[in-house]
Amino acid sequence: MFQNKFSRKYMFNLILFGPPGSGKGTQSEKLIAKYGLKHLSTGDLLRSEISRQTSLGMEAKNFMDKGQLVPDEVVVGMISSALDDNPQVRGFLFDGFPRTSSQANALDKLLERKMSPISVMLALDVSGEELVKRLVKRGETSGRTDDNNEQVIRARIIEYHDKTAAVADHYHQVNKVVMVKGEGSIDDIFNALCHEIDKRLLSVERQGAGN
Ligand code: ADP
């Protein structure tokens, strides 16, 4: 399906973007099931490193527990290995990455090597107060240490505005950002995301990503 007449295989690479608590994890699960994309969540990868008590995990934990971003080289290295480990996938769904301009530049370079740029960034739009409410509620059951302290939650939202919001400008410059309302029912938000993906999947199939 993703082969043109020269048999080059194009991937459909999607960034699901939005502040902490905007629903990226929930929607990612549904999207990978529907489209068969490989889910790459830097938050999940880091938590797995922490639970295996690796040195990378121990370093990352210090930042995560304070609500700060983990250094760029750590997450870029993780993503680079994950891309190499999955050569045959239909495409990647990036969740929680890139989170800084420097990560966005690094991702562009990594994907250039694979001849498969980002197809679209879908940005979930959720109000600030709703975010805090959702994260506090998630902290009651998730077991995530960064969710059960309101100060850490607020620090994460500040990091998002200081460092991560600029990532949307990066992809905006190449016309790849689509805002999607992130409030309402899970299914309504999912359908809105699918609508945007379906429009673009067709053109990736016809011409190759990024054309
Ligand atoms: P949320 O979107 O709810 O903040 P994540 O699971 O995506 O949750 O991230 C949890 C924490 O992991 C972040 O607060 C940050 O410390 C770290 N982290 C995740 N992704 C990145 C990234 N791309 N760059 C730097 N730090 C990251």
Side-chain angles (χ1 to χ4, degrees), residues 18-21 24 41-44 46-47 60 63-64 67-72 75 95-100 103 135 138 144 146-147 156:
K24 300 186 297 291
S41 156
T42 38
D44 288 351
L46 290 166
R47 281 185 289 276
F63 295 94
M64 292 166 77
Q68 294 169 0
L69 293 183
V70 172
D72 289 332
V75 285
D95 162 6
F97 180 88
R99 249 176 160 99
T100 63
Q103 291 178 21
L135 290 167
R138 186 167 82 185
R144 273 181 55 168
D146 58 347
D147 278 346
R156 280 155 62 203

Side-chain angles (χ1 to χ4, degrees), residues 158-173:
I158 290 169
E159 282 281 77
Y160 172 81
H161 288 294
D162 282 357
K163 297 178 184 154
T164 305
V167 174
D169 300 335
H170 178 100
Y171 291 100
H172 196 62
Q173 280 168 14

Side-chain angles (χ1 to χ4, degrees), residues 55-102:
S55 56
L56 189 156
M58 294 304 95
E59 186 197 349
K61 188 175 182 340
N62 289 325
F63 295 94
M64 292 166 77
D65 283 348
K66 291 186 221 133
Q68 294 169 0
L69 293 183
V70 172
D72 289 332
E73 58 276 16
V74 174
V75 285
V76 169
M78 271 188 346
I79 288 288
S80 174
S81 318
L83 294 182
D84 290 343
D85 290 347
N86 293 279
Q88 297 296 345
V89 292
R90 187 183 194 187
F92 292 99
L93 189 166
F94 297 96
D95 162 6
F97 180 88
R99 249 176 160 99
T100 63
S101 297
S102 140

Side-chain angles (χ1 to χ4, degrees), residues 1-210:
M1 176 194 278
F2 284 91
Q3 312 235 327
N4 69 8
K5 61 184 172 186
F6 303 107
S7 285
R8 175 175 289 146
K9 202 170 173 207
Y10 290 105
M11 291 192 288
F12 184 81
N13 295 319
L14 163 70
I15 297 173
L16 192 57
F17 187 75
S22 56
K24 300 186 297 291
T26 306
Q27 295 296 337
S28 290
E29 291 302 327
K30 294 171 74 71
L31 291 169
I32 55 164
K34 174 161 178 171
Y35 293 103
L37 301 172
K38 173 74 187 168
H39 186 195
L40 289 185
S41 156
T42 38
D44 288 351
L45 291 170
L46 290 166
R47 281 185 289 276
S48 151
E49 297 278 343
I50 292 172
S51 71
R52 288 182 284 124
Q53 303 196 336
T54 64
S55 56
L56 189 156
M58 294 304 95
E59 186 197 349
K61 188 175 182 340
N62 289 325
F63 295 94
M64 292 166 77
D65 283 348
K66 291 186 221 133
Q68 294 169 0
L69 293 183
V70 172
D72 289 332
E73 58 276 16
V74 174
V75 285
V76 169
M78 271 188 346
I79 288 288
S80 174
S81 318
L83 294 182
D84 290 343
D85 290 347
N86 293 279
Q88 297 296 345
V89 292
R90 187 183 194 187
F92 292 99
L93 189 166
F94 297 96
D95 162 6
F97 180 88
R99 249 176 160 99
T100 63
S101 297
S102 140
Q103 291 178 21
N105 286 320
L107 179 62
D108 286 351
K109 289 214 180 73
L110 289 171
L111 292 177
E112 222 169 83
R113 291 214 306 250
K114 307 205 175 285
M115 311 277 287
S116 290
I118 290 298
S119 305
V120 66
M121 169 189 267
L122 299 176
L124 290 167
D125 189 18
V126 177
S127 75
E129 277 321 295
E130 172 72 15
L131 294 176
V132 177
K133 239 183 9 203
R134 287 185 190 180
L135 290 167
V136 169
K137 185 149 175 267
R138 186 167 82 185
E140 291 165 8
T141 55
S142 72
R144 273 181 55 168
T145 45
D146 58 347
D147 278 346
N148 58 23
N149 176 327
E150 196 161 329
Q151 228 173 328
V152 175
I153 290 174
R154 292 200 184 273
R156 280 155 62 203
I157 295 173
I158 290 169
E159 282 281 77
Y160 172 81
H161 288 294
D162 282 357
K163 297 178 184 154
T164 305
V167 174
D169 300 335
H170 178 100
Y171 291 100
H172 196 62
Q173 280 168 14
V174 283
N175 244 327
K176 289 191 175 168
V177 183
V178 178
M179 296 293 294
V180 173
K181 193 167 152 240
E183 294 185 39
S185 80
I186 288 175
D187 282 341
D188 284 349
I189 298 164
F190 177 62
N191 289 335
L193 294 170
C194 291
H195 178 71
E196 295 300 333
I197 292 171
D198 291 341
K199 280 199 273 190
R200 286 163 181 85
L201 260 179
L202 263 181
S203 84
V204 170
E205 283 171 7
R206 285 202 196 108
Q207 304 158 6

